[in-house]
Each structure stands twice: as C-alpha cells, then as structure tokens.
Amino acid sequence: MHRFAVVARHTGASLRGPGGCGVGGADTALRGAPRGPRRAGPVRWSSAAKASAVNINEKASREKILTLESMNPQVKAVEYAVRGPIVLKAGEIEKELRKGIKKPFTEVIKANIGDAHAMGQRPITFLRQVVALCTYPNLLDSPSFPEDAKKRARRILQGCGGNSLGSYTASQGINCIREDVASYIERRDGGVPADPDNIYLTTGASDGISAILKILISGGGKSRTGVMIPIPQYPLYSAAISELDAIQVNYYLDEENCWALDVPELRRALTEAKAYCNPKVLCIINPGNPTGQVQNRKCIEDVIHFAWEEKLFLLADEVYQDNVYSEGCQFHSFKKILYEMGPEYYNNVELASFHSTSKGYMGECGYRGGYMEVINLHPEIKGQLVKLLSVRLCPPVSGQAAMDIVVNPPVPGEESYAQFIKEKESVLNNLAKKAKLTEDMFNKIPGVHCNPLQGAMYAFPRIFIPSKAIEEAKAHKMAPDMFYCMKLLEETGICVVPGSGFGQREGTYHFRMTILPPVEKLKILLEKVKDFHIKFLEKYA
C-alpha cells in the first residue's frame, strides 16, 4: 500500500490530489465518478498527517549501503598530503576572509602545491596559440597567429578523427604526437634511439605511474609486490601503493649529503623487505620532489647496476627535467645512461620514464598532458598495458596537443622562436633566482636548515620543534610538523605541507613549500615564516 494511504488511514486525513479525490477513495473516482475541473495548488496536510509522515519516514530510512565500514579499505587507506587536512583548513579560512571575519592577514598564500599559473606565472605564448588553433580551427585563417603555430595545429588536427580535438584518439595517444615525443627523446639524449611504439601519452605523469604500478603488482602474503620509494617521496606513490594494496618499501635519501641517493641504503631496504614481500619495483624521482636534489651521472649508473643485479623494474619520474638551477648540476635521463652502459644493461633493464606538461617552464597543470616511455617490456605485457589504458579510452586530447608543443617547440629560423626562447629562459632564470633566495633566507632563520635547491620547484627545510610544542601536538593528536604548519597557517595565512606527509626520518621535522610565487611576494612570505618561527621557538622554549 502507498505510504500516503497508510498516513491517511492512521490519521483520518483527507489527502486531496488532483480532481479532489482523497487517496483512500481513489478507486471510487476510477469507477466513473464524474470529475470536475482540476484544481491547482499544493496538497494540504493536517498537522497529524505531517507528524505521522515524519515518523514513517524515520522508520522507513535504512542504513546506507556505502559507509566507512563497508567501503573499499584500500581507498580509505589512501592519503595525499599535498591536498590534505591543512589545505582544507586553508579553504575554510579563505571563506571566513570573504565573509569579512578578521584575521592577522588579508589573504591565504597557497604555497602547498606546484601550480605555476595559479601563482602568477604567465603561459608560454606559442603553446597557447597552438592549442587555441586546435580548439577553434576557424582561427587558422586569422592573420593574428604565426605560420609555425598553424603548421603544428594542422598536423595535430590531421591526426584527430574528423579533424577535431573533440574526437577520441587511440588509447596510446595521437600517432604524430608520439612520433614527436620519440624525436624529442632522441634529441635530448644525444641520439639514443626512441621508438614511438614505446611511447604512451597519459593524463599527466600521474596517470602513467598509476597504470604501470597497476600492471606490476601481484601476489599475496610474502609474495605480494613490494615497491621501493624514496623517503621523502611525492605522496602519489604511497597513495597508489595503498590503493593497489601493494607493499611500500622505504629507502631514505641522505639529508646530510644534499638528499643523495645511496646504493647501500637501497640494499638495506631491499634485504629487509624480502622477509615480508617480493620487492620488484624501484622508483626514482629526479630531480627530486620534495627534496630538489639532482642525481649525478655516477649515482644513476650505480642505481641502474643495482636494478639490473637485483632484477628490479625501474620507474624514473623525470617531470622536473627542465628545472635544474645549481651550478655544476645537470639532468641526465635514466634512458640515456642505461643506453651508454652497454647492451647487457640496455637490452635487459625494464624502465618506464615519465614527463609532463605541468612542470618545467610550461606549468600547464590543468591540461593534464604527459607521456611515458616504456622499454624492454615483454611483448605480451605490452598488449596487456594497451588493454589497461584502453579502459579509460584516451588521455585528454587538448593535453596531448599541449604535450606536443613541449616536445616540438619552435626551432631557430622559425617565426616564433625568438619570443618562445625569451619566455622559456625568463621563467627558468626566475625560478633559479627564487631557489637561491629561498635557500639563503631559510638558512638565516635560527632552528631552520635548508639544503641547496638544485632543481624542481620546492624547498624542504628541516625545522627544530621544541619538546613543549611536541607535547602540545600530541595532546591535539597531531604530528608535530602538522601542528607547526597549522599554527603557521592560522597566524600568517601561509599554507605549506608538513614533512610527515612525504615521509622523513624519525625525530626530524620538515615542511614543503613551493618557490613559485613572484619574487616580491616570495620575499614577504619568507619574512613571515621567519617571524613566525622565531615567535614559535620563544613560545615553546
């Protein structure tokens, strides 16, 4: 029986529907009673009917199917500090500021994430021109756009179904863009061959990393796949490992030696992990995030030899390959060094390398463009990887177009080259200046130590937290550096990410801060951190 009818029976209420029929007498109306004109207006309820309906609704409600207890436990285990509790708190404070609630500051500075354009970096003109032309091809007739941009746009559109960026592409990505990626890798690596068939366009680098981990992880109990990751690490890795129910195997970077990667430490981590899992993946982030170190050639050779010796699948996260600032530092791709170590290594070590439109000098995070190159993959596994990627159909096509301009920029002699190289060098020189400024200013603050920012776009300073503050953090059920960062946010409006979200040696505390704000704003930010830290030490001394 209909719920409304039950209410009517129990209350004696006449629930009038269209045509003036009460619910209880509906069958009388159906037996041919004449109907008058329909009356507009809401259904009228007696107060008793309303009360009874509320009671019935309460009784009729049932437990939700999806609860914290019934949800996928692997998803619940996922943590992503870069957009974690402190960022949610920053959002709340922003809302309060908009409502006019007074704070000791006028804005929240989100220094928690490497989002270049959000921090004021201007887009690269040529990249935006090509994407605009691809998005709205009528602009190809406009004299406002240079011919070299039009040439690239036409080539990309010819690779799209119906010459439209709105069509699906092959799951690996548009073929001509994969060819451009392979050509770029060959130029970058001094002629080391690259096969377009080994290139997979991705939704940012994160998509490729997750896909490779997904296909690598297997087994149960002590045979469950172990994934070796650097500590500190970018939280994508720990999040993906948790989601896939794999085993995280930590190896620690050497903070006292500018966050160097140490092979004896890799061996320690691997040996210990073999007691409880099957370690078969080694992840490297170079240049480092959050630590900013740039691995030298000898280090990379040692890591490759270790992976070859221990039969480990190498993942090389190289999204910051354009972001190298320190004198004497140079980016070396794992692919290039692997090739130069000879056929015994180059024909055997399985390697996936990743790049993105989001970092470098481009900073095009929102396009979600990226690629991975995977070499020495078993032919049958290659088919499985393509199958896995086909489930998500294809990466965003505008992101594929943006990635093409990263790997196929203007060259000397082309119309747009002078402006392109000027904009690119301006961004990178500015970042180098800010890296040095940040390092120097942090190292002038008592109780703060910052290693040289050799590359990437973050500082990861070590901070001294007094025991009294540690005790108060425990009382609030917070990690000490989370407590510190929350206080920094509440008192200055500066949002940074606590080191505990990236991993750190026990008893040490850090935070990650991007160096992306404009120079003058960055100076103000650093002065505020300095003043806060000194007051914090005084309060908890």
Side-chain angles (χ1 to χ4, degrees):
M1 187 179 289
H2 195 285
R3 185 183 295 169
F4 287 173
V6 176
V7 173
R9 173 180 289 179
H10 283 286
T11 63
S14 177
L15 304 181
R16 301 271 175 195
C21 294
V23 174
D27 54 346
T28 305
L30 290 171
R31 282 197 295 268
R35 296 191 181 207
R38 290 181 180 271
R39 292 187 300 178
V43 176
R44 295 179 181 177
W45 294 67
S46 72
S47 57
K50 289 177 184 177
S52 185
V54 169
N55 289 335
I56 288 168
N57 279 332
E58 286 177 351
K59 289 175 184 175
S61 65
R62 63 182 187 183
E63 284 187 12
K64 298 290 185 188
I65 295 167
L66 185 59
T67 66
L68 283 174
E69 289 71 35
S70 67
M71 72 174 286
N72 184 332
Q74 272 64 61
V75 174
K76 190 158 62 172
V78 168
E79 292 183 2
Y80 188 65
V82 174
R83 296 198 175 195
I86 200 146
V87 182
L88 298 176
K89 180 67 175 177
E92 291 172 12
I93 291 172
E94 282 184 315
K95 288 178 184 176
E96 290 172 355
L97 287 171
R98 283 195 290 271
K99 290 177 182 175
I101 297 172
K102 296 295 181 186
K103 301 283 181 185
F105 46 87
T106 57
E107 67 170 332
V108 172
I109 302 174
K110 290 185 177 176
N112 60 295
I113 196 165
D115 193 351
H117 293 186
M119 285 290 181
Q121 182 179 308
R122 305 303 301 163
I124 297 296
T125 302
F126 188 77
L127 187 149
R128 287 297 182 90
Q129 286 174 331
V130 176
V131 175
L133 290 163
C134 289
T135 304
Y136 189 57
N138 287 5
L139 294 173
L140 288 164
D141 297 325
S142 169
S144 300
F145 289 79
E147 283 305 315
D148 49 358
K150 291 179 180 179
K151 178 183 174 184
R152 284 165 175 78
R154 289 190 185 100
R155 183 166 178 266
I156 291 168
L157 289 172
Q158 285 167 8
C160 298
N163 291 322
S164 171
L165 221 59
S167 60
Y168 288 130
T169 72
S171 298
Q172 268 187 260
I174 297 172
N175 190 58
C176 68
I177 298 178
R178 288 164 48 222
E179 289 172 353
D180 288 345
V181 171
S183 297
Y184 161 79
I185 291 169
E186 288 184 1
R187 291 194 309 273
R188 181 198 69 187
D189 292 345
V192 175
D195 183 351
D197 202 37
N198 292 334
I199 307 297
Y200 304 79
L201 301 183
T202 56
T203 308
S206 303
D207 175 48
I209 292 165
S210 297
I212 288 292
L213 286 175
K214 197 174 287 186
I215 209 164
L216 274 163
I217 289 165
S218 64
K222 288 187 177 182
S223 65
R224 190 65 175 164
T225 298
V227 181
M228 301 180 68
I229 64 171
I231 298 296
Q233 52 108 18
Y234 177 49
L236 162 70
Y237 290 94
S238 54
I241 290 165
S242 292
E243 183 182 355
L244 297 169
D245 197 25
I247 307 298
Q248 179 174 316
V249 179
N250 297 338
Y251 66 88
Y252 289 89
L253 301 176
D254 184 1
E255 184 172 11
E256 305 306 318
N257 191 21
C258 203
W259 299 111
L261 198 166
D262 183 46
V263 170
E265 169 60 14
L266 288 177
R267 199 169 300 283
R268 175 208 61 79
L270 180 78
T271 302
E272 291 180 7
K274 285 179 177 178
Y276 55 85
C277 69
N278 175 24
K280 64 180 182 183
V281 187
L282 174 57
C283 302
I284 311 290
I285 308 173
N286 180 46
N289 174 13
T291 45
Q293 84 285 4
V294 178
Q295 305 295 352
N296 61 42
R297 183 189 179 92
K298 176 67 165 60
C299 175
I300 295 172
E301 287 176 349
D302 291 345
V303 170
I304 290 172
H305 177 75
F306 176 78
W308 172 81
E309 186 178 46
E310 299 292 345
K311 296 182 179 177
L312 298 171
F313 195 114
L314 268 176
L315 304 190
D317 182 339
E318 298 175 337
V319 301
Y320 296 99
Q321 58 190 259
D322 288 305
N323 301 104
V324 178
Y325 316 123
S326 289
E327 213 172 301
C329 287
Q330 181 184 348
F331 171 74
H332 301 280
S333 78
F334 268 73
K335 162 88 176 292
K336 179 176 188 284
I337 304 301
L338 178 62
Y339 184 84
E340 292 173 351
M341 288 175 71
E344 189 173 8
Y345 292 94
Y346 184 68
N347 293 329
N348 290 293
V349 174
E350 293 153 277
L351 169 69
S353 308
F354 307 91
H355 196 17
S356 166
T357 62
S358 301
K359 309 303 175 186
Y361 59 89
M362 308 78 66
E364 294 283 7
C365 304
Y367 278 121
R368 307 310 299 131
Y371 75 76
M372 62 179 173
E373 181 187 25
V374 190
I375 62 172
N376 291 326
L377 207 57
H378 190 289
E380 290 177 357
I381 294 298
K382 199 168 188 175
Q384 293 294 318
L385 177 58
V386 172
K387 178 186 74 175
L388 177 65
L389 295 174
S390 70
V391 173
R392 51 85 157 127
L393 297 177
C394 68
V397 187
S398 55
Q400 295 186 48
M403 191 74 246
D404 188 64
I405 306 314
V406 175
V407 299
N408 184 25
V411 296
E414 287 191 304
E415 182 180 352
S416 300
Y417 178 75
Q419 182 181 7
F420 168 78
I421 206 71
K422 181 182 177 183
E423 290 176 353
K424 175 182 176 180
E425 289 179 353
S426 173
V427 170
L428 294 176
N429 290 339
N430 205 26
L431 283 168
K433 180 180 177 182
K434 290 188 283 189
K436 187 68 176 133
L437 170 71
T438 303
E439 176 196 338
D440 289 347
M441 288 191 72
F442 272 140
N443 284 327
K444 290 176 182 175
I445 304 174
V448 176
H449 173 72
C450 185
N451 273 323
L453 277 62
Q454 297 175 338
M457 47 184 62
Y458 313 99
F460 196 67
R462 183 170 174 172
I463 53 175
F464 171 70
I465 299 182
S467 56
K468 189 177 174 183
I470 293 171
E471 289 304 313
E472 188 166 331
K474 286 178 182 175
H476 286 86
K477 297 182 178 178
M478 286 185 185
D481 49 8
M482 172 64 86
F483 176 76
Y484 177 96
C485 292
M486 199 64 81
K487 289 288 185 187
L488 176 67
L489 173 63
E490 291 168 349
E491 295 180 25
T492 69
I494 296 168
C495 179
V496 296
V497 190
S500 49
F502 300 88
Q504 55 199 353
R505 283 197 180 273
E506 192 173 344
T508 68
Y509 307 106
H510 305 78
F511 63 79
R512 189 190 80 162
M513 185 196 87
T514 183
I515 62 170
L516 288 171
V519 172
E520 292 309 312
K521 194 168 193 175
L522 182 62
K523 286 179 181 176
I524 294 168
L525 185 157
L526 291 166
E527 284 292 343
K528 284 186 172 184
V529 172
K530 176 185 175 182
D531 293 344
F532 166 81
H533 187 78
I534 290 169
K535 289 175 185 174
F536 186 87
L537 291 182
E538 289 171 352
K539 179 177 179 179
Y540 292 102

